[in-house]
RNA sequence: GCCCCCAUCGUCUAGCGGUAAGGACACCACUCUUUCAAGGUGGUGACAGGGGUUCGACUCCCCUUGGGGGCACCA
């Protein structure tokens, strides 16, 4: 790879053992930019506190990024590994007069003049050096502090772009001053705004789901979360919102178009977007995601024939917003134990006219019992049921809705003929029979 | 307290001196349909306030207000 025009960006999550969506979005922006510029996306773990630096602390981060489809180049760099190098640079600053000893620690001497930079997101930003106190770069135990190590490492790794959260804006003048003292040109800085919760405050654990893993558990597809996160604080300047092809997103991305204002995380829109992705995803790809959800609900996907399982998943794909939704609906169709018992709308509907609904059910039962397995096909079922409604002299809904409730326990489903087809002849008849008896 | 950043529908946003202020989510209505959802159509809904600059400000400047972030021998 050529070394000119070579963009290197880095991502430096704290080893908190949890990947916040804000951090994930920052990583995504880094990644999109690096991929677009055909540079490198480098992962660095900031672990000056070496007690906490370990493989397991980075595992959640690796998993989360990999799940989102963000791959990094080169091995992960651990900040703690550079201890001696950091100490050497600090000593050099001491010799050069850019730093001085204070109570056994080494303090950096801030220049008094203005320190300014042109932020790739925020535009021109400036601080007065005189407003910033001299700060410790080496503690009295000779361990370096964060603001110093990042600079030393950025310089060492020849980082060209630092894309990070806006909470680092006020660290930037300190870091620029160190770059200058070290005789290095500072990288391009890009500060992306924070993500806030519904109450407009920093998105934190009390807002519920904040970790990438939480959304995974909620049944969100990684592609959907990635798409959503990309659009939170950035937009492609045209009216596209759905980027099913990651390359389109990479091509469209630009730091200039990143918002300067914090954005509020809107779960509803994420779910909508997830629904869009769900209906684009072939059943085959969905099954591995839905099956674990079914297991969590207490259903063994292996207990039914694969084609039946696939059908139950597929039929709900376009209606659902999360893979959890799909699992919940599919399981109702595959196992009578999951028929909804407490659906309010369903209860009300029956209560409105119990006699009519049980006689409709009885009539349906009589008529459908007459069909054998080979007749149990969507088309045939539909015509049978329509004819039935006609003979009874009632609107089709009067017949279909009680059946739907008998079979699923809810008032919501695919077309009734499709539903009966998925559930199958024997099971459907059983469920209707059961309902008839229960209401007697 | 000091420093920095920000400010268009409820939310995500377009706008870069002259627009009926556009789109998306959500919401409402209608439509489709046997129901629900999805889909389609339409609708409600915003430039924080005050001063300038200008023939003309959402757009530029200043102030106020509001929000956020930062001021460690944390990262």
């Amino acid at each position: 790879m050529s070394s000119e025009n070579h963009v290197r960006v880095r991502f430096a999550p704290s080893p908190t053992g949890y990947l916040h969506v804000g951090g994930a979005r920052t990583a995504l922006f880094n990644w999109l930019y690096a991929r677009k510029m055909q540079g490198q996306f480098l992962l660095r773990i900031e672990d000056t506190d070496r007690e906490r630096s370990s493989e397991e602390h980075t595992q959640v981060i690796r998993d989360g990024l990999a799940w989102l489809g963000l791959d990094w180049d080169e091995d992960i760099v651990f900040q703690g590994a550079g201890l001696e190098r950091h100490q050497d640079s600090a000593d050099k600053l001491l010799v050069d007069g850019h730093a001085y000893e204070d109570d056994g620690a080494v303090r950096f001497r801030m220049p008094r003049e203005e320190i300014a930079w042109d932020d790739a997101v925020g535009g021109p930003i400036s601080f007065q050096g005189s407003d910033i106190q001299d700060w410790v770069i080496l503690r009295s135990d000779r361990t370096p502090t964060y603001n110093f190590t990042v600079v030393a490492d950025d310089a060492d790794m020849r980082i060209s772009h630092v894309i990070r959260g806006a909470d680092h804006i006020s660290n930037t003048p300190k870091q620029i001053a160190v770059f200058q003292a070290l005789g290095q040109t500072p990288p391009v800085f890009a500060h992306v705004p924070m993500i806030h919760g519904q109450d407009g405050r920093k998105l934190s654990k009390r807002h519920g789901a904040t970790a990438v893993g939480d959304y995974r558990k909620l049944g969100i597809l990684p592609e959907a979360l990635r798409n959503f996160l990309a659009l939170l604080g950035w937009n492609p300047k045209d009216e596209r919102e759905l980027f099913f092809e990651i390359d389109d997103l990479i091509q469209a991305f630009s730091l200039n178009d990143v918002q300067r204002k914090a954005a509020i995380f809107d779960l509803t829109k994420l779910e909508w977007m997830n629904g869009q992705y769900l209906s684009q995803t072939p059943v085959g790809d969905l099954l591995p995601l839905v099956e674990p959800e079914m297991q969590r609900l207490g259903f063994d996907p292996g207990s039914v024939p694969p084609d039946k399982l696939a059908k139950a998943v597929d039929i709900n794909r376009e209606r659902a917003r999360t893979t959890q939704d799909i699992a919940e609906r599919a399981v109702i169709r595959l196992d009578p134990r999951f028929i909804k018992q407490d659906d309010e709308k369903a209860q009300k509907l029956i209560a409105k006219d119990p006699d009519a609904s049980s006689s409709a059910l009885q009539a349906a039962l009589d008529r459908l019992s007459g069909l054998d397995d080979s007749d149990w096909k969507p088309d045939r079922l539909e015509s049978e049921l329509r004819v039935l409604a006609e003979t009874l002299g009632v609107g089709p809904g009067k017949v279909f809705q009680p059946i739907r409730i008998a079979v699923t326990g809810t008032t919501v489903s695919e077309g009734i003929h499709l539903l009966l087809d998925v559930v199958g002849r024997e099971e459907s008849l059983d469920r209707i029979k059961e309902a008839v008896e229960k209401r007697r």
mmCIF file of all heavy atoms in Angstrom, chain B residues 61-74:
data_model
loop_
_atom_site.group_PDB
_atom_site.id
_atom_site.type_symbol
_atom_site.label_atom_id
_atom_site.label_comp_id
_atom_site.label_asym_id
_atom_site.label_seq_id
_atom_site.Cartn_x
_atom_site.Cartn_y
_atom_site.Cartn_z
ATOM 1 P P C B 61 -22.252 34.279 11.061
ATOM 2 O OP1 C B 61 -20.949 33.661 11.392
ATOM 3 O OP2 C B 61 -23.507 33.634 11.528
ATOM 4 O "O5'" C B 61 -22.255 35.790 11.548
ATOM 5 C "C5'" C B 61 -21.115 36.613 11.338
ATOM 6 C "C4'" C B 61 -21.299 37.924 12.071
ATOM 7 O "O4'" C B 61 -22.420 38.651 11.479
ATOM 8 C "C3'" C B 61 -21.707 37.769 13.527
ATOM 9 O "O3'" C B 61 -20.579 37.586 14.368
ATOM 10 C "C2'" C B 61 -22.412 39.086 13.799
ATOM 11 O "O2'" C B 61 -21.505 40.145 14.023
ATOM 12 C "C1'" C B 61 -23.157 39.319 12.483
ATOM 13 N N1 C B 61 -24.517 38.781 12.492
ATOM 14 C C2 C B 61 -25.524 39.521 13.126
ATOM 15 O O2 C B 61 -25.230 40.604 13.658
ATOM 16 N N3 C B 61 -26.790 39.040 13.145
ATOM 17 C C4 C B 61 -27.075 37.868 12.569
ATOM 18 N N4 C B 61 -28.322 37.435 12.617
ATOM 19 C C5 C B 61 -26.068 37.090 11.930
ATOM 20 C C6 C B 61 -24.819 37.577 11.908
ATOM 21 P P C B 62 -20.794 36.864 15.770
ATOM 22 O OP1 C B 62 -19.448 36.667 16.353
ATOM 23 O OP2 C B 62 -21.697 35.708 15.583
ATOM 24 O "O5'" C B 62 -21.559 37.966 16.620
ATOM 25 C "C5'" C B 62 -20.898 39.149 17.042
ATOM 26 C "C4'" C B 62 -21.847 39.994 17.846
ATOM 27 O "O4'" C B 62 -22.977 40.388 17.011
ATOM 28 C "C3'" C B 62 -22.493 39.301 19.027
ATOM 29 O "O3'" C B 62 -21.656 39.292 20.165
ATOM 30 C "C2'" C B 62 -23.745 40.143 19.241
ATOM 31 O "O2'" C B 62 -23.463 41.344 19.924
ATOM 32 C "C1'" C B 62 -24.152 40.454 17.804
ATOM 33 N N1 C B 62 -25.140 39.496 17.278
ATOM 34 C C2 C B 62 -26.488 39.651 17.641
ATOM 35 O O2 C B 62 -26.797 40.581 18.387
ATOM 36 N N3 C B 62 -27.398 38.770 17.168
ATOM 37 C C4 C B 62 -27.017 37.768 16.372
ATOM 38 N N4 C B 62 -27.953 36.938 15.932
ATOM 39 C C5 C B 62 -25.658 37.589 15.996
ATOM 40 C C6 C B 62 -24.757 38.465 16.466
ATOM 41 P P C B 63 -21.860 38.136 21.244
ATOM 42 O OP1 C B 63 -20.745 38.241 22.200
ATOM 43 O OP2 C B 63 -22.115 36.852 20.550
ATOM 44 O "O5'" C B 63 -23.212 38.574 21.974
ATOM 45 C "C5'" C B 63 -23.246 39.766 22.766
ATOM 46 C "C4'" C B 63 -24.658 40.043 23.223
ATOM 47 O "O4'" C B 63 -25.522 40.170 22.061
ATOM 48 C "C3'" C B 63 -25.309 38.923 24.021
ATOM 49 O "O3'" C B 63 -24.953 38.974 25.391
ATOM 50 C "C2'" C B 63 -26.791 39.209 23.817
ATOM 51 O "O2'" C B 63 -27.239 40.262 24.648
ATOM 52 C "C1'" C B 63 -26.817 39.669 22.362
ATOM 53 N N1 C B 63 -27.139 38.568 21.436
ATOM 54 C C2 C B 63 -28.471 38.171 21.310
ATOM 55 O O2 C B 63 -29.333 38.748 21.965
ATOM 56 N N3 C B 63 -28.785 37.149 20.471
ATOM 57 C C4 C B 63 -27.818 36.543 19.783
ATOM 58 N N4 C B 63 -28.174 35.546 18.968
ATOM 59 C C5 C B 63 -26.448 36.922 19.905
ATOM 60 C C6 C B 63 -26.150 37.937 20.734
ATOM 61 P P U B 64 -25.055 37.628 26.248
ATOM 62 O OP1 U B 64 -24.563 37.956 27.609
ATOM 63 O OP2 U B 64 -24.442 36.512 25.492
ATOM 64 O "O5'" U B 64 -26.627 37.390 26.320
ATOM 65 C "C5'" U B 64 -27.463 38.299 27.049
ATOM 66 C "C4'" U B 64 -28.906 37.857 26.952
ATOM 67 O "O4'" U B 64 -29.313 37.861 25.559
ATOM 68 C "C3'" U B 64 -29.166 36.430 27.405
ATOM 69 O "O3'" U B 64 -29.337 36.349 28.807
ATOM 70 C "C2'" U B 64 -30.459 36.097 26.668
ATOM 71 O "O2'" U B 64 -31.587 36.659 27.311
ATOM 72 C "C1'" U B 64 -30.234 36.794 25.332
ATOM 73 N N1 U B 64 -29.677 35.887 24.311
ATOM 74 C C2 U B 64 -30.550 34.990 23.703
ATOM 75 O O2 U B 64 -31.731 34.929 23.977
ATOM 76 N N3 U B 64 -29.971 34.173 22.773
ATOM 77 C C4 U B 64 -28.644 34.150 22.397
ATOM 78 O O4 U B 64 -28.274 33.353 21.527
ATOM 79 C C5 U B 64 -27.814 35.098 23.068
ATOM 80 C C6 U B 64 -28.343 35.918 23.992
ATOM 81 P P U B 65 -29.033 35.006 29.555
ATOM 82 O OP1 U B 65 -29.288 35.213 30.993
ATOM 83 O OP2 U B 65 -27.696 34.535 29.099
ATOM 84 O "O5'" U B 65 -30.144 34.012 28.983
ATOM 85 C "C5'" U B 65 -31.524 34.190 29.322
ATOM 86 C "C4'" U B 65 -32.369 33.204 28.557
ATOM 87 O "O4'" U B 65 -32.230 33.444 27.131
ATOM 88 C "C3'" U B 65 -31.967 31.746 28.723
ATOM 89 O "O3'" U B 65 -32.493 31.175 29.906
ATOM 90 C "C2'" U B 65 -32.573 31.129 27.469
ATOM 91 O "O2'" U B 65 -33.975 30.961 27.599
ATOM 92 C "C1'" U B 65 -32.297 32.204 26.429
ATOM 93 N N1 U B 65 -31.015 31.973 25.736
ATOM 94 C C2 U B 65 -30.993 31.038 24.709
ATOM 95 O O2 U B 65 -31.979 30.425 24.352
ATOM 96 N N3 U B 65 -29.766 30.850 24.116
ATOM 97 C C4 U B 65 -28.589 31.488 24.449
ATOM 98 O O4 U B 65 -27.544 31.212 23.825
ATOM 99 C C5 U B 65 -28.687 32.425 25.515
ATOM 100 C C6 U B 65 -29.873 32.640 26.115
ATOM 101 P P G B 66 -31.719 30.017 30.628
ATOM 102 O OP1 G B 66 -32.425 29.702 31.885
ATOM 103 O OP2 G B 66 -30.291 30.375 30.658
ATOM 104 O "O5'" G B 66 -31.924 28.806 29.607
ATOM 105 C "C5'" G B 66 -33.238 28.311 29.340
ATOM 106 C "C4'" G B 66 -33.182 27.308 28.216
ATOM 107 O "O4'" G B 66 -32.763 27.966 26.991
ATOM 108 C "C3'" G B 66 -32.157 26.193 28.394
ATOM 109 O "O3'" G B 66 -32.629 25.164 29.234
ATOM 110 C "C2'" G B 66 -31.961 25.733 26.958
ATOM 111 O "O2'" G B 66 -33.035 24.929 26.519
ATOM 112 C "C1'" G B 66 -31.997 27.062 26.209
ATOM 113 N N9 G B 66 -30.645 27.606 26.043
ATOM 114 C C8 G B 66 -30.056 28.621 26.755
ATOM 115 N N7 G B 66 -28.826 28.866 26.365
ATOM 116 C C5 G B 66 -28.599 27.953 25.343
ATOM 117 C C6 G B 66 -27.447 27.744 24.542
ATOM 118 O O6 G B 66 -26.363 28.328 24.580
ATOM 119 N N1 G B 66 -27.644 26.715 23.624
ATOM 120 C C2 G B 66 -28.794 25.993 23.491
ATOM 121 N N2 G B 66 -28.803 25.036 22.558
ATOM 122 N N3 G B 66 -29.887 26.181 24.229
ATOM 123 C C4 G B 66 -29.713 27.170 25.128
ATOM 124 P P G B 67 -31.579 24.315 30.065
ATOM 125 O OP1 G B 67 -32.357 23.443 30.974
ATOM 126 O OP2 G B 67 -30.538 25.221 30.604
ATOM 127 O "O5'" G B 67 -30.915 23.418 28.923
ATOM 128 C "C5'" G B 67 -31.695 22.412 28.292
ATOM 129 C "C4'" G B 67 -30.898 21.767 27.184
ATOM 130 O "O4'" G B 67 -30.526 22.764 26.202
ATOM 131 C "C3'" G B 67 -29.561 21.168 27.593
ATOM 132 O "O3'" G B 67 -29.701 19.907 28.217
ATOM 133 C "C2'" G B 67 -28.857 21.075 26.246
ATOM 134 O "O2'" G B 67 -29.356 20.012 25.479
ATOM 135 C "C1'" G B 67 -29.284 22.395 25.608
ATOM 136 N N9 G B 67 -28.294 23.455 25.878
ATOM 137 C C8 G B 67 -28.407 24.491 26.769
ATOM 138 N N7 G B 67 -27.338 25.257 26.776
ATOM 139 C C5 G B 67 -26.474 24.681 25.850
ATOM 140 C C6 G B 67 -25.179 25.058 25.433
ATOM 141 O O6 G B 67 -24.491 26.016 25.820
ATOM 142 N N1 G B 67 -24.675 24.197 24.470
ATOM 143 C C2 G B 67 -25.338 23.101 23.960
ATOM 144 N N2 G B 67 -24.690 22.377 23.046
ATOM 145 N N3 G B 67 -26.558 22.734 24.343
ATOM 146 C C4 G B 67 -27.056 23.569 25.279
ATOM 147 P P G B 68 -28.618 19.458 29.278
ATOM 148 O OP1 G B 68 -29.090 18.211 29.899
ATOM 149 O OP2 G B 68 -28.250 20.632 30.116
ATOM 150 O "O5'" G B 68 -27.377 19.134 28.340
ATOM 151 C "C5'" G B 68 -27.465 18.067 27.405
ATOM 152 C "C4'" G B 68 -26.263 18.081 26.508
ATOM 153 O "O4'" G B 68 -26.160 19.367 25.847
ATOM 154 C "C3'" G B 68 -24.928 17.930 27.208
ATOM 155 O "O3'" G B 68 -24.646 16.593 27.543
ATOM 156 C "C2'" G B 68 -23.986 18.466 26.136
ATOM 157 O "O2'" G B 68 -23.801 17.532 25.103
ATOM 158 C "C1'" G B 68 -24.787 19.648 25.603
ATOM 159 N N9 G B 68 -24.425 20.899 26.301
ATOM 160 C C8 G B 68 -25.167 21.596 27.216
ATOM 161 N N7 G B 68 -24.555 22.663 27.648
ATOM 162 C C5 G B 68 -23.330 22.669 26.986
ATOM 163 C C6 G B 68 -22.245 23.578 27.042
ATOM 164 O O6 G B 68 -22.126 24.604 27.713
ATOM 165 N N1 G B 68 -21.202 23.191 26.198
ATOM 166 C C2 G B 68 -21.208 22.067 25.402
ATOM 167 N N2 G B 68 -20.121 21.849 24.658
ATOM 168 N N3 G B 68 -22.222 21.220 25.335
ATOM 169 C C4 G B 68 -23.246 21.575 26.148
ATOM 170 P P G B 69 -23.743 16.283 28.806
ATOM 171 O OP1 G B 69 -23.825 14.832 29.050
ATOM 172 O OP2 G B 69 -24.097 17.238 29.878
ATOM 173 O "O5'" G B 69 -22.295 16.663 28.282
ATOM 174 C "C5'" G B 69 -21.729 15.940 27.211
ATOM 175 C "C4'" G B 69 -20.462 16.609 26.760
ATOM 176 O "O4'" G B 69 -20.749 17.973 26.358
ATOM 177 C "C3'" G B 69 -19.399 16.780 27.827
ATOM 178 O "O3'" G B 69 -18.670 15.594 28.040
ATOM 179 C "C2'" G B 69 -18.539 17.878 27.200
ATOM 180 O "O2'" G B 69 -17.746 17.367 26.159
ATOM 181 C "C1'" G B 69 -19.614 18.784 26.607
ATOM 182 N N9 G B 69 -19.985 19.857 27.540
ATOM 183 C C8 G B 69 -21.131 19.976 28.271
ATOM 184 N N7 G B 69 -21.161 21.062 29.009
ATOM 185 C C5 G B 69 -19.951 21.686 28.746
ATOM 186 C C6 G B 69 -19.404 22.899 29.244
ATOM 187 O O6 G B 69 -19.901 23.696 30.044
ATOM 188 N N1 G B 69 -18.145 23.158 28.714
ATOM 189 C C2 G B 69 -17.495 22.345 27.815
ATOM 190 N N2 G B 69 -16.291 22.757 27.420
ATOM 191 N N3 G B 69 -17.992 21.218 27.331
ATOM 192 C C4 G B 69 -19.211 20.955 27.839
ATOM 193 P P G B 70 -18.102 15.333 29.510
ATOM 194 O OP1 G B 70 -17.572 13.970 29.472
ATOM 195 O OP2 G B 70 -19.096 15.727 30.531
ATOM 196 O "O5'" G B 70 -16.893 16.365 29.597
ATOM 197 C "C5'" G B 70 -15.821 16.271 28.677
ATOM 198 C "C4'" G B 70 -14.926 17.471 28.818
ATOM 199 O "O4'" G B 70 -15.667 18.678 28.561
ATOM 200 C "C3'" G B 70 -14.358 17.708 30.200
ATOM 201 O "O3'" G B 70 -13.266 16.850 30.459
ATOM 202 C "C2'" G B 70 -13.931 19.166 30.092
ATOM 203 O "O2'" G B 70 -12.743 19.304 29.350
ATOM 204 C "C1'" G B 70 -15.093 19.748 29.281
ATOM 205 N N9 G B 70 -16.104 20.362 30.145
ATOM 206 C C8 G B 70 -17.320 19.847 30.520
ATOM 207 N N7 G B 70 -17.999 20.656 31.302
ATOM 208 C C5 G B 70 -17.165 21.761 31.446
ATOM 209 C C6 G B 70 -17.351 22.970 32.177
ATOM 210 O O6 G B 70 -18.317 23.315 32.859
ATOM 211 N N1 G B 70 -16.248 23.814 32.063
ATOM 212 C C2 G B 70 -15.123 23.543 31.333
ATOM 213 N N2 G B 70 -14.176 24.473 31.336
ATOM 214 N N3 G B 70 -14.939 22.432 30.641
ATOM 215 C C4 G B 70 -16.001 21.594 30.745
ATOM 216 P P C B 71 -12.692 16.780 31.931
ATOM 217 O OP1 C B 71 -11.735 15.662 31.943
ATOM 218 O OP2 C B 71 -13.810 16.831 32.922
ATOM 219 O "O5'" C B 71 -11.878 18.145 32.024
ATOM 220 C "C5'" C B 71 -11.177 18.461 33.203
ATOM 221 C "C4'" C B 71 -10.870 19.935 33.237
ATOM 222 O "O4'" C B 71 -11.938 20.666 32.577
ATOM 223 C "C3'" C B 71 -10.844 20.514 34.641
ATOM 224 O "O3'" C B 71 -9.558 20.349 35.208
ATOM 225 C "C2'" C B 71 -11.200 21.963 34.416
ATOM 226 O "O2'" C B 71 -10.101 22.709 33.947
ATOM 227 C "C1'" C B 71 -12.245 21.836 33.308
ATOM 228 N N1 C B 71 -13.615 21.693 33.836
ATOM 229 C C2 C B 71 -14.202 22.778 34.507
ATOM 230 O O2 C B 71 -13.553 23.832 34.643
ATOM 231 N N3 C B 71 -15.453 22.646 34.994
ATOM 232 C C4 C B 71 -16.109 21.500 34.825
ATOM 233 N N4 C B 71 -17.350 21.412 35.313
ATOM 234 C C5 C B 71 -15.540 20.382 34.146
ATOM 235 C C6 C B 71 -14.301 20.528 33.671
ATOM 236 P P A B 72 -9.428 19.315 36.361
ATOM 237 O OP1 A B 72 -10.229 18.128 36.306
ATOM 238 O OP2 A B 72 -9.421 20.183 37.569
ATOM 239 O "O5'" A B 72 -7.882 18.996 36.054
ATOM 240 C "C5'" A B 72 -7.474 17.710 35.771
ATOM 241 C "C4'" A B 72 -7.001 17.008 37.021
ATOM 242 O "O4'" A B 72 -8.121 16.439 37.739
ATOM 243 C "C3'" A B 72 -6.083 15.858 36.618
ATOM 244 O "O3'" A B 72 -4.798 15.891 37.219
ATOM 245 C "C2'" A B 72 -6.962 14.605 36.765
ATOM 246 O "O2'" A B 72 -6.245 13.555 37.346
ATOM 247 C "C1'" A B 72 -8.154 15.041 37.611
ATOM 248 N N9 A B 72 -9.409 14.625 36.949
ATOM 249 C C8 A B 72 -10.087 15.280 35.958
ATOM 250 N N7 A B 72 -11.194 14.664 35.573
ATOM 251 C C5 A B 72 -11.238 13.541 36.385
ATOM 252 C C6 A B 72 -12.159 12.478 36.473
ATOM 253 N N6 A B 72 -13.243 12.369 35.720
ATOM 254 N N1 A B 72 -11.910 11.520 37.377
ATOM 255 C C2 A B 72 -10.807 11.608 38.136
ATOM 256 N N3 A B 72 -9.878 12.558 38.136
ATOM 257 C C4 A B 72 -10.151 13.506 37.239
ATOM 258 P P C B 73 -4.311 16.194 38.540
ATOM 259 O OP1 C B 73 -5.370 16.090 39.511
ATOM 260 O OP2 C B 73 -3.306 17.261 38.715
ATOM 261 O "O5'" C B 73 -3.513 14.821 38.473
ATOM 262 C "C5'" C B 73 -3.146 14.263 37.243
ATOM 263 C "C4'" C B 73 -2.792 12.825 37.531
ATOM 264 O "O4'" C B 73 -1.442 12.803 37.992
ATOM 265 C "C3'" C B 73 -3.714 12.270 38.623
ATOM 266 O "O3'" C B 73 -4.446 11.183 38.129
ATOM 267 C "C2'" C B 73 -2.773 12.069 39.871
ATOM 268 O "O2'" C B 73 -2.906 10.822 40.482
ATOM 269 C "C1'" C B 73 -1.360 12.176 39.252
ATOM 270 N N1 C B 73 -0.446 12.919 40.096
ATOM 271 C C2 C B 73 0.669 12.231 40.601
ATOM 272 O O2 C B 73 0.807 11.046 40.313
ATOM 273 N N3 C B 73 1.562 12.880 41.390
ATOM 274 C C4 C B 73 1.381 14.174 41.683
ATOM 275 N N4 C B 73 2.285 14.763 42.457
ATOM 276 C C5 C B 73 0.248 14.892 41.182
ATOM 277 C C6 C B 73 -0.626 14.240 40.397
ATOM 278 P P C B 74 -4.883 9.881 38.187
ATOM 279 O OP1 C B 74 -4.933 9.276 39.493
ATOM 280 O OP2 C B 74 -3.963 9.305 37.178
ATOM 281 O "O5'" C B 74 -6.363 9.868 37.576
ATOM 282 C "C5'" C B 74 -6.555 10.024 36.184
ATOM 283 C "C4'" C B 74 -7.520 8.949 35.774
ATOM 284 O "O4'" C B 74 -8.859 9.493 35.894
ATOM 285 C "C3'" C B 74 -7.425 8.511 34.331
ATOM 286 O "O3'" C B 74 -6.430 7.516 34.183
ATOM 287 C "C2'" C B 74 -8.819 7.967 34.101
ATOM 288 O "O2'" C B 74 -8.952 6.691 34.678
ATOM 289 C "C1'" C B 74 -9.675 8.972 34.878
ATOM 290 N N1 C B 74 -10.161 10.097 34.042
ATOM 291 C C2 C B 74 -11.406 9.953 33.423
ATOM 292 O O2 C B 74 -12.039 8.925 33.604
ATOM 293 N N3 C B 74 -11.885 10.983 32.656
ATOM 294 C C4 C B 74 -11.155 12.084 32.493
ATOM 295 N N4 C B 74 -11.670 13.051 31.738
ATOM 296 C C5 C B 74 -9.876 12.232 33.097
ATOM 297 C C6 C B 74 -9.408 11.221 33.854
#
